[in-house]
Every structure is written in structure tokens, then in C-alpha cells.
Amino acid sequence: MFVFVVRRAVVSFFIVLASTALMYVLVALSGNPLKDLLEYNGPGREARIAARTAALNLDVPIPGRYVLWLQEVGTCVAPGGDECTLGLDRKLRPVLPQLDVALGSTMRLVIAATVLALLLGVVTGVVTALRQYSTFDYSVTFIAFLCFSLPVFWVSTLLKQYIAIDLNTWLQDPQMTYASIGLLGLVAGLIWTIVIGGDARRRLVVAAVAAAATSGTLIVLLNVGWFRRPALGIAGIAVSALVLAFLWSALFAGLRPRTRPVLYASLATAVAGTIVVALAQPLMAEMTWLTFGALVLVLIALGLGIGYLVGGHTRRLAMQISAVTAVSVVVLMSVDQLMRAYPALFKATGGRPMATTGSQTANLNGTFWESNLDLGLHLALPTLAIMLISFASYTRYTRASMLDVMNQDYVRTARAKGLNERTVVVRHTFRNALIPLATLVAFDFAGVLGGAVVTETVFGWSGMGKLFTSGLSNIDPNPVMAFFLVTAVATVLFNMLADIAYAYLDPRIRLR
Amino acid sequence: MTDLRNDLPDDGPAIELAMGTLVTLDDDLAEVDVLAQQSVAARSSTQTVMRRFRQHRAAMSGFVVLVAIILLAFSSIGFGPVPGWWKLDFKIPMPLVDAGAPTLSVWPPSLGEHPFGQDNIGRDYFALTMKGAQQSLIIAFLVGIVGTVIGTVIGACAGYFRGWTEAVLMRLTDVMITIPLLAVAAVIAVSSKGLGGVWILGAFLGLVTWTGLARIVRGEFLSLREKEFVDAARSVGASSGRIIFRHILPNTIGVIIVAATLAISSAILLESALSFLGFGVQSPDTSLGQLINSYRSAMTTRPWLFWWPGLFIIAIALAVNFIGDGLRDAFDPRQDRVKA
Amino acid sequence: MAIETQAPDLRRAPEDTGPILEVRGLGVDFRVDGEWVMAARDVDFTIKPGEVLAVVGESGSGKSVSAMGILGLLPKNSRTVGSATLRGTELIGARPAALRAVRGNDVGLIFQEPMTALNPVLTNGFQVSEVLLSHQNISPAQARERAIELFRLVDLPNPEGRYDSYPHQLSGGQRQRVMIAMAIACDPVLLIADEPTTALDVTVQAEILDLLRTLHHRLDSAILLITHDMGVVADLADTVVVMKDGRVVESGPIRQVFSSPRQGYTRELLAAVPHLGAQIAAGQLVVREPAPGTAAVTAGLEDRAPAPVVPALDLRNLVLEYPSRGRTPAFRAVDDVSFSIAHGEVLGLVGESGSGKTTIGRAVVGLLPVASGSVSIGGTDVAGLSRRELRPLRRRSAIVFQDPAASLNPRMTIGESIGEPLFIHEKLRKAALDRRVEALLDQVQLPHAYRNRFPHELSGGQRQRVGIARALSLGPDLLVADEPTSALDVSVQAHVLELFQELQREQGFACLFISHDLAVVEILASRVAVLHRGKLAEIGTREEVLLHPREPYTRRLIAAAPVPDPDEQQTRRAGRAAALAAGADAED
């Protein structure tokens, strides 16, 4: 493993070297940074040309310039590199501080989009594969093709116009007519019918139940003013946690007598976790990342402990699933707290909480939850826009991979052993279907970064994309190269992680 | 496992699973296969592909839509010296009618004076959109063709000759995946700005979009060159050229056509994204992406300036994607195989 | 068509005399292109306790789908009708949960391909434990213990260590043992073995068959054996059901079916199976002592001109290596092999997988570089020649490949494939080429109209005829035949072998006939070379090698090959056990 990482680091170094060299030449050839000054006729023309030439080493031929740039990058890697600037831009400002700001917001965007797309895509892909040629399968296939065909910038603009702006307007006065409540109910009913499927009778029942539940919930929420002061509440956390605990046990352990302890352990974790969260309420107002981390660790330890005690001879599984349940409790707690922070944020943003520009509200100075909610709301739409294509490709790929594995001999063997369908799918099919996906993630990452360039432009983020587009249109090589340096390093890093995941999933592959 | 690995289309372990299916043919299915063969009358492979494609409803609709769009775009305002049937010119501003709103009506069906409306200085937006669609289609097909040719040649050489050709390509691929395509395309597009025209832009973009296809073709070549029919040709002394062009390439044609189709659909999105960012087609020239970019700020006042070019981009890309899917199924009856 | 059989011996307690599995009117159809296509129809058979029932048939006979249909293991585009009762419980149309309870618990399954039938990402041990855990209420620790016990039962070496290893770390035979351990984990009343030894080497096959027999005795379960191999049937079965095109042709006790088959098809099938020792015992050929050093002369070719001094093929200290790739070290596939083939002689090259036999064949026709030593074809050393230098020499040798489906370019017509060597070497075009192609099609007894067909429009046997026609198009002095019939059904194999013999007699080419099947080699070859792990173990005339093998490996190989005759096979088995016991120390 260690040898592998070192080997890969060396190889990656050369890849980054080659990739930056290639891009350096291309960027250098894309225009003369002195162009505007050469056309400029005002005073101090010569001095400014000389200053920029010196700053950007324009008197050196391109290969030499690249070496100088490399030296500059080298000082950042070398210990005690205070001089590190990653070069100067055309206004003679160092690039590094600009990059610092940009990097954080873009990585947030890219990683959120990748993770969400992966999770949703894989789940959808699995379900479509299991229900091949169902209405759900066809709908998802069509949606995936639509996503493949959507221009990111166009979707971003649409989202901004119709989701953000109109939603904000609605949130000012969250009211709905009974007609629209009924309509939403019908839509929900239709969606659930397609997702769940089954024979005609079951479809009707599902549609009716889903429509009634959706409309009913909406009426209740509207009447108690939930959209103004949303929250889950301890009761909400408890119920959701129990449902999730049941779901995880059913999915990963099954509900046979032999694995009953797993179910008990995870249910107990859900209850105990909710109690811990309730007791920790006083902490919430003063939450920092440190206390949050501590709380997470406490809850996971609680889950592991309960799993250990209750697990019996399925101890390991019980501990794993209880820990997953504990994490679910953390997520629920966070959702609850973020919702509670909403009224304050609503006020701070002047009643327009859905952000349309920038990566965070300036001068917010809110609490832990308020600023995180703010970040989250800023992320939501750009993430959605970038996600679509990745989501589509993960869905299609997972589906194809699952169908492929389902035809393998060893899946037939698993059936021949009399294993139940859940075990066949989760343990024998899904695990193998995940393997080729690891590589796709690595390949997709650069694509997502490209998408980020577009969405950042639409949503007015000052991230890496902005650095790149403004650098490129102003013929300003160093910020552009900073962009390429970061993307190259991030991609090789992601690639290495993907390979490690690959080796973890597939015992036939040894990391050497 | 060791002999299987030689067939792997990639150094990365990714394709191993996909290859697994190619190799296994279990007894049951083999028996069914035999039965299926008995029931199907002998047909040539091209006919079979055509038949399967025609039976693919989504692909056929995609095909019809694409042909319709191409005909509409090129016949309406004409192309080059050939005049079209649409009366208005896309360059000439006219007095605004009804604040430039579209006059297209579905029922009763009528086009009206300006079916797609007018832009802020009164130019006919139907003519503009058609011009943009022409330009986008030209770029997309150009990128598709250039990328496919380069990708095929490089992939074929790398897969067949191995050795340094392959090493160079593989290292190049490693390097290329670290660079977002959109970004490198933007840099290339900016470089080609001075040279002018959509033709140059299309050709230049083709220079950076071949890597995916080269990988796929290389993978196909790597597995096909180990096939016994290639050994058979080699054992009678067939030259490398003959083996590549007569034996291997015809067997990869399906994969190449599918990849080329999908390359066209991603090219149209790439072009529009570049133009949107201001790096692609430059005013006064126009394209669908450039139109959206120009009228971005008019979104609230004249939304149709945003909708029409967007819908055309989606319609073209979706149609091409469905055609690609249909072709894949037609060429490879084992549906839903993992794409490498 | 009920089968009246008696269990061949009465070792079983008589109280449970009801049948284990009773199949009546079983039918399986598949939905292909919107139509139902019949795969099996009206299949009847009964398995009594302790009985081994073999269902035999060629590919497409519906033997495998019938068995899978009984357990509901067919793909979704299939339907199964009729009745199959396992100890009185109906299985066809049973609820999925009920079928699951039967599978793995009451019925154990063993599949053909041990390489793909085990999940690559789970440990061997876990895959066995899993069966126990899902059918019995025991703890993982107990399951582990039991799994290791099972590994011991199936003679897997180092059972504890194997528990945590992965399938890819085992050999084919070991994987099949894991598969068997999995199948017998819950003491099933019935074991369904679907071609359990087809993918294995003959010595491994013999071991697995022994294991199945031992387990059958020990565990008291009935076995439903599905196979195409008459030798395996003769070795293991008590009762035989012969299937063809989805229907049962004949069934009955093994000795009756083998000695006096009632149906024509069964007779043909049995006649087509090569029987090791039949040729020699029948004494059809008069064999002379081979001239010292080089060639043996076969009786059938008496009238030919005396063998020239220069042999058709001469290998001297041949070493072949697969070069190192990346961090995989170079692999020496063939190590210091020398032999020669006289003009007009057929040499059988026998060995198990990995012995290097195919590698030699490919090196002879210039498809693989020679690491050291020499390969002389008609006196010219081809080792180390460049492509250009090699080109004129390619006319002298030709190769027929194992898999007729893979060795023809799917996008070229049959005529183009056959004509390609003529196109390249004799620069024949159009009408002249057509005439020669037609002549070649005549030789391999295919209609001229086939010239314009594509390979997928031909059957396996026809494709192999095309392969032979292509190899003979330039009239080579030396033909390398690399397992040309092993991908074919026995009846087709018999026809192709017949054609091959005829052509060899007519054209008198020398032939390096590579095969894993001693019985096939016995039919064709006058001399036999045995290859073991890249080295030449033994070489001599057919009679010397087959009747009086000098090397223990050869003896084991011969002893392991099952013959399609139950009585003879029984004797051979006893002999083999004795030889194994005796030769255990002599071997290593």
C-alpha cells in the first residue's frame, strides 16, 4: 500500500509535469499578454510594458518561461516557502492569494456535486437494473438521456430564473391554493407509482396513498407555518432515525431470525442517539466544528458499543450497522439544526434565502448552523446544475454494470445456493458492479471541474472557474496556469483514491 | 487471469469485468443462442444492423428529428449562395412588433410575422436561430469527424503495434484526463480566434476531443488482435496493413460509429458552452450558444431569446444521443454492456 | 416415458424407496425475438435414492435447461411447464421462497465453469459458510468450522488456509472442489452436477470424478449428472437418459444403453465417441518399428515414396517464452523440446492445459518468436527470421485453430476467408480465385453457394471445414492442427475427423496434431509426443506410448482418460488406483 502510494506519487508527479507543460505552451500561444499595452497610447506605455514583461518573464522563450514558472511552483512545495506566489498576474498581483479564495468554494461545489451524483446515480442505477424494462426504467433512461443533452449553462440559467427567484418570492409568503396542493399530491402519487411499480391494483393503492400523504402533509405544514420556521424536532428525529435503522438493517442484514440482533442493535442506537441529541441541545447554539466532531464521535462510539453488546454472534455486522444508524442520527440532527437556523438567515438575507450569486452571503456573521445553512443554500443550485450530467452517466453505468454482473455465473451460483434475493443483489451483484465504477469517478472528475467553470460564471461565484475564464479572456497566463495546476493535482489525487478503492473492492487487484 | 489480462483494453483494471462477459458463454445461453440462430433466416450483418436500428423506436424518432432540424436549418435561410424559403434576413433589424414576442401559434397553426420573435434591435429571431443552428451543426459534425478520424488512427496504431506508439498514447491519455476538456477546448478556441470562422474552430476542437475514441478503439484493437482469425491471417503472411484494414477495422466499425455519434452530441454541447463563455464563436458570427450568451441579460424581459436556441441545442443533442444508443444496440445485440 | 431402473447395488437402507426426483412432461421455452422457442419438451425421468442418473446429449439438446428449469434458475425470458416433484413436493410453479428453501439445502448444484462460478470478491470459505448460514440457524463461527470440515471432506489441501483465500488464488480443480463443498454443505438429498468436469484437465477430471463417487457413497445423496461426455457417464452413472433437440430419445440402465442401444441416435452417438485403445486393440493398422532417429512410417501410407532425409518439421532444443510485461516476469512456456515429423506423417502432441502444446503449434507457423533452439520446416530454420523473410516460407505450413467460430473473420465471407492465402501468395483475383475456392469447398464437402455466406450463418462443424479448406489452400507440406475438434460435438467431431483423415491420405501433408484427447490422437496419429509443463515427457509410436508408456506422467494421463464403456471403465479405474498408489513416489 505504502509502496503503491509512493510509486503513484512519482508517476503522478510526471503526469502533472507533462500536463502543465502542455497547457503552459498552449496558454502561452493563445495570445500576447502585452496586446492591450501595445495598443495603448497613453503615458508610461514603455514603463508598463517593461514592468509586465519582467513580471511575466515575457523576454524569456516559452520553454524557459515554463521552467521559471516551475521554480515558482517549487517554492510553494519546498519547506518554508514564504516567497511562494505561483507567479504574478497582469496587474502584478501574486496569484496564490486569489487561488486560496477560489479553491475553497470550487472544491466545495465539485465535491458536493460528485458525491451527490454518485450516491443518487448508483441508487437509481441499481433500481433500474433490478426493474429492467419497467416504466421506472424507461423514465430514468429518458431522464438520463435528457441530462446528457442539457447544456449546463442553460440549465443553470433556468434554475436561477425559475427556481431561485420564484422560490424566494414564494417563501416571502408561503401560501398555496387547494388546487395546487391537490396537483402536487397527484404528481407525487404518479412519481411514487412509477418508482414502486407492481400490478394495477398495487399501483392504484400506491398512487392514492402517496397523493393523500403529500397533500395532507403540505396542508399541515402550511397551516402550522412550517415554511417560515421549519424544524424536525426531537420527535421527528426519533421517528426518522427509527425508520432509517429499520431500513439499514433490512437492507444490509435482512430480517431473518439469525440477524435479529442487528435490527435490535440499530433500533437501540436510534433511540439512544436521539436521547443524546436531545441532551446535547444546549450545545447547539455554540456549536463549532470541534464540538460537532466530538458529538459525531460520541454517537458513533455509542452505536459501536450497542452493536457490541447486543450483536451476539452477528456482532461485527451489528456494530457496522449501528454505526451507520448513528451517522444517520447525526445527519438528522444537522438537518434539524439547519432548519432551525432558517428564520435568522431569512432575516439576514432580506427575505431571499435562496442565493443566486456568489458562494456565500457577505458579512453574515451568523452562528455555526446559520453560516452552514447559508453555504448550503448557495451550493444547492450550482451543485444541481453540475450534477445532472454526472448523475446521468453514473445511473447508466451502474445499470449496465449491474445487468452485466447479474448475468455472471457466480450470481447463478448464489441463486443455486438458495440465498434470498436481497443477499444475491447486495452481496453478490452490487459489490461486483461497483468495481468498474471506481474508474469512472476518476474520469468524471475533470468533467465536473469543467462544468464548474460554466456554473460559476452563471451564478457569479468567484471560484476557480472565474479565475480561469477571466484569465483566459484577459490573456493573463499565470492565473490560468494556477487553474490547470490545481485541476491536474486534484485529478491525479482522485485517480489514486479511485485505484485504492478499486483494490479494496476487488481482491484480484493488488496495489504494487 | 493472466491470459485474460492481455486482452484488456486498458492498463487500468477497469475493463476486466466487462471482458468477463465477453469470454463467458454459459451453457444455457449457448443453447438458446443456437435456437435463436435456427429461427432467424440468414441475413447479412449490415442488413441486420439496419433492421435492429429501425426497430429501435427512440433511435428512429431521434433520426427523424435530427434530419428535420438539419433540413429546416439549411433550407429556411439558405446556405452560402443558395437562397432559402424564409423571407427575412438574420442580419437586418426591423421595427419591433408586439415588443418582439413570438408570433408562432400552435392552434390555429400559423407562423406569423416572426415565429420565434425578434431580438432587442428587431432582427428576426427565427432567421437568427436557424443561422445559429447551421453553425452549431457544422461545428459539431466537424468536431465529430476530425476527432473520430484522429482517434481511430491513433487508437488503431496504439492497439495494433503496441510498443512505443502505445506507450505514448497511454501516457498522453493519462495527461489528458487531468485537463478538463472544456478548459483545454477554451484555450484552443482562443488560440484559433484570429484564424476565423466556424470551420477552423470545429477542426481545432476536433484536435482535443479524440482521446476518448482513441481509448475505445485501442481497446477493441487490443482484444481483436489476439483473436484467432487475426492469427489465421498472420499465419498466411498477411501484411500489417491488410490485417488492420481488412480484418480488425471492419470488426470495430460499430464501436467507432457509435462513439462518433456520441462525439457529435458532446461536441454540440461543448461548442455552445464555449460560445456561452465567450471563447467559441465570436460575434458577428453566430451559433446557438453564442445567441444564448448574447441575450443572457434579456432573460426576464424577452425569455424567448433564451428558450429557442436552448431548445434547439437540446433537441439536436437528444436526437443524436438516441441515435447513438440505437446504433449501439443495433451493432451489439447483447444490450446494456458496460461501456468501456 | 417412465424409466424402470433398480439401484445397481443394495448398499442403501431399503426403507426410503420413493423416488427422490420425479420429472413428468417437463418443458422449457425461451422467448426469442417475440416468439416462444422450444428448448425442451416432454422430458420424463425419475431418480431413486442413491442413484446416479446421467442426462447426456450434445449442445442444444436441452439437457442443461431442463435441470435449471426444475429449480427455477433460468433467465426471465423463459417459461417452464410440466411437473417435477422432489420427494413429493412440486417444484414447478412453486413460490420463490419455497424454491429458495430447496436450493442449496435439499438440492446442491455444481456448475461447469469453476473459473466463473465462484464470486471473485468473496473468500472461498465465506461462500461455503453463506450456504450454511442461510439454511441453518448457526453462528458464523460454527459455519466456519463446518466449512473447513467440508473443505477437508472434498480433499482441499490446507483447508484452514483456504478458508480466507479468494477463488483466483486456486487452481481450476481446487475451485471445483470448493464448488462441491458448497453443494454438499447442507447434506442435500440430490446433487445436480452440470458438466462438472468439462472445463478441467483429464487428470483433474479423474480426481473430481473420484471425489464425486466417494461423496456419493458417503453422503447418501442421489446425483443428477448432466454431461456430453460418454466417458464421464460410463465412469459414474447408473442410469442414462439420452436427449436430442429438447426431447428424451432413450433411457435405461447404463449397461443396457451402452451395450444394446435401442434408438438409432444413441447408436450413432456411441459410435461417434472416440474410444481410447479401440484402434490399437482392433489392430486396424500394421505398425512397423520406426527408423531410428527420425520418422515412423504408417501402414496406410505404404505406397508413398520413401521418406526423404529432410523431415517436414524438425524442432531442436526449442525454447519459447512469453516475455515479461511490466512487473510480470517472463514465463517459459516451452523448455528444450526436440522432435521431428517426417513427410506425410501425423504426430499427435498431447498434453494438459499449460503444457505448452498450443505454444509450440503457434511457434511452428511463425506466430510466436522463438527464444532459442531451431524450428526447421522442410530444412529451413524459421526461428529468428523477419516477417519479410518468413513470408515465402508461410506457404509450406498452415494452421487449423481450435475454435472455428473465432478463427474466421465475422465480417468476411467464407469465400474471402478461404481465398485469402491464395490472394496473398498466388496473387489470384476474381474468376481464377473463385475457381480455386470452389475446388477447395468441394474438397471439404461444402456447397459452392456457401462461398457468399458469413461465418455466423454456418454451424460449428461447417465452420471448421472452412478452417481446414483455408489451411489447405496453398497445399502445405506441414499442417498444424490445434485441437481442431475439441469445440465440436462428438457426432460432428467424428465427421470432421473422417474428413481430415481422408484429406491427409489424399494430399499426404505432414501434420502436427495437437490435442488433449488421447482417444482422438489415437485415431489419427502414428506417433505420439507427450508434453508436460513445457518439457517433452515422452515420444514414440502410438503403440509404444499408449500401450507401454515409460513415463509415470504418461501412465497417469492414459489411466485418467475415461472410456465410454462402463465395464472397461470400472477395470481401468481399479488399475488407475493401483498405478497411483504405486507411482506416487516414482513421480516426484
Side-chain angles (χ1 to χ4, degrees), chain A residues 148-149, chain B residues 140 260-270 316-321:
Chain A
F148 278 132
S149 315
Chain B
T261 316
L262 300 180
I264 290 174
S265 92
S266 50
I268 202 151
L269 295 181
L270 180 69
I316 296 171
L318 199 59
V320 176
N321 271 329

Side-chain angles (χ1 to χ4, degrees), chain B residues 6 24 27-28 31-32 35-36 42-43 45 228-229 231-238 240 242 246-247 250-251, chain C residues 60 62 64 116 325 362 367 387 391 394 399 401 403 406-412 416 420 423 425 457 470:
Chain B
N6 292 336
T24 34
D27 194 35
D28 288 350
E31 288 184 9
V32 178
L35 294 168
R43 282 195 189 93
S45 52
E228 285 187 344
F229 70 81
D231 281 341
R234 210 176 286 154
S235 76
V236 299
S240 293
R242 186 175 169 85
R246 211 56 197 88
H247 288 276
N251 284 289
Chain C
S64 207
T116 54
R325 286 194 72 200
R362 292 168 57 89
L367 287 173
R387 274 180 95 113
R391 210 170 157 188
R394 300 228 190 237
I399 182 166
F401 291 94
D403 185 353
S407 61
L408 296 174
N409 186 340
R411 302 248 168 207
M412 271 165 74
E416 285 175 298
E420 188 172 29
F423 181 89
H425 286 279
E457 297 167 326
R470 175 175 58 186

Side-chain angles (χ1 to χ4, degrees), chain B residues 59-300:
Chain B
M60 275 313 280
S61 352
F63 185 70
V64 170
V65 168
L66 183 69
V67 169
I69 290 178
I70 292 175
L71 284 180
L72 183 68
F74 283 89
S75 72
S76 58
I77 57 162
F79 183 67
V82 186
W85 49 263
W86 184 245
K87 50 201 180 294
L88 302 172
D89 191 282
F90 67 95
K91 286 187 228 106
I92 302 162
M94 298 167 75
L96 283 175
V97 181
D98 187 19
T103 55
L104 181 71
S105 152
V106 178
W107 197 260
S110 82
L111 286 177
E113 191 68 13
H114 301 289
F116 287 9
Q118 290 166 285
D119 74 353
N120 42 1
I121 54 167
R123 289 182 293 181
D124 181 56
Y125 207 55
F126 175 73
L128 261 177
T129 310
M130 289 304 113
K131 180 67 184 168
Q134 278 188 8
Q135 303 285 64
S136 291
L137 282 167
I138 290 172
I139 295 179
F141 277 89
L142 212 57
V143 174
I145 291 166
V146 172
T148 304
V149 170
I150 300 178
T152 305
V153 169
I154 294 187
C157 291
Y160 185 77
F161 291 112
R162 295 254 172 104
W164 67 268
T165 327
E166 187 188 15
V168 167
L169 176 85
M170 287 329 290
R171 295 299 83 78
L172 199 59
T173 314
D174 283 348
V175 170
M176 287 307 272
I177 74 163
T178 66
I179 307 167
L181 177 64
L182 184 75
V184 68
V187 174
I188 290 275
V190 169
S191 307
S192 75
K193 216 185 248 178
L195 306 173
V198 292
W199 297 90
I200 300 290
L201 180 68
F204 265 65
L205 289 182
L207 292 179
V208 292
T209 53
W210 53 266
T211 43
L213 191 98
R215 263 172 50 81
I216 295 172
V217 172
R218 170 179 168 270
E220 288 289 315
F221 264 70
L222 277 182
S223 75
L224 284 170
R225 75 193 291 280
E226 306 292 335
K227 287 272 185 314
E228 285 187 344
F229 70 81
V230 174
D231 281 341
R234 210 176 286 154
S235 76
V236 299
S239 62
S240 293
R242 186 175 169 85
I243 292 177
I244 291 180
F245 290 107
R246 211 56 197 88
H247 288 276
I248 305 187
L249 208 56
N251 284 289
T252 58
I253 209 76
V255 177
I256 292 173
I257 290 179
V258 170
T261 316
L262 300 180
I264 290 174
S265 92
S266 50
I268 202 151
L269 295 181
L270 180 69
E271 180 278 318
S272 57
L274 284 181
S275 302
F276 175 78
L277 291 174
F279 299 128
V281 175
Q282 305 290 323
S283 183
D285 214 342
T286 188
S287 80
L288 294 174
Q290 200 267 342
L291 282 176
I292 296 179
N293 186 31
S294 318
Y295 302 113
R296 187 154 38 137
S297 50
M299 176 80 201
T300 36

Side-chain angles (χ1 to χ4, degrees), chain A residues 44-230:
Chain A
R45 176 172 182 261
E46 297 307 318
R48 288 167 78 170
I49 289 180
R52 191 179 290 173
T53 307
L56 303 182
N57 300 315
L58 295 177
D59 45 351
V60 184
I62 294 172
R65 223 184 293 164
Y66 174 64
V67 174
L68 289 172
W69 181 79
L70 270 187
Q71 276 179 3
E72 194 62 51
V73 176
T75 56
C76 298
V77 185
D82 342 309
E83 302 293 302
C84 156
T85 57
L86 283 184
L88 305 176
D89 69 359
R90 48 190 278 123
K91 295 194 174 131
L92 313 188
R93 292 169 310 190
V95 171
L96 190 65
Q98 306 176 40
L99 182 67
D100 263 352
V101 182
L103 191 62
S105 51
T106 299
M107 283 300 151
R108 213 156 53 218
L109 182 64
V110 167
I111 289 173
T114 304
V115 170
L116 275 176
L118 190 59
L119 284 178
L120 283 177
V122 167
V123 170
T124 318
V126 169
V127 177
T128 47
L130 294 180
R131 308 224 344 255
Q132 195 186 4
Y133 304 137
S134 64
T135 320
F136 180 65
D137 184 25
Y138 285 123
S139 319
V140 170
T141 302
F142 182 77
I143 291 170
F145 273 100
L146 196 61
C147 290
F148 278 132
S149 315
L150 286 176
V152 176
F153 59 94
W154 195 77
V155 180
S156 308
T157 317
L158 272 190
L159 287 175
K160 189 171 154 178
Q161 180 66 30
Y162 293 102
I163 306 287
I165 294 175
D166 291 0
L167 185 66
N168 272 330
T169 310
W170 184 77
L171 285 172
Q172 304 254 326
D173 180 24
Q175 289 302 326
M176 253 187 222
T177 60
Y178 282 104
S180 42
I181 290 175
L183 195 69
L184 275 179
L186 280 181
V187 172
L190 187 70
I191 292 176
W192 281 107
T193 315
I194 290 174
V195 172
I196 291 177
D199 54 20
R201 199 185 125 83
R202 187 163 139 195
R203 278 164 190 262
L204 272 177
V205 171
V206 168
V209 169
T214 310
S215 308
T217 316
L218 271 176
I219 291 172
V220 171
L221 292 181
L222 285 168
N223 282 336
V224 299
W226 190 84
F227 288 101
R228 286 193 168 285
R229 314 193 70 81

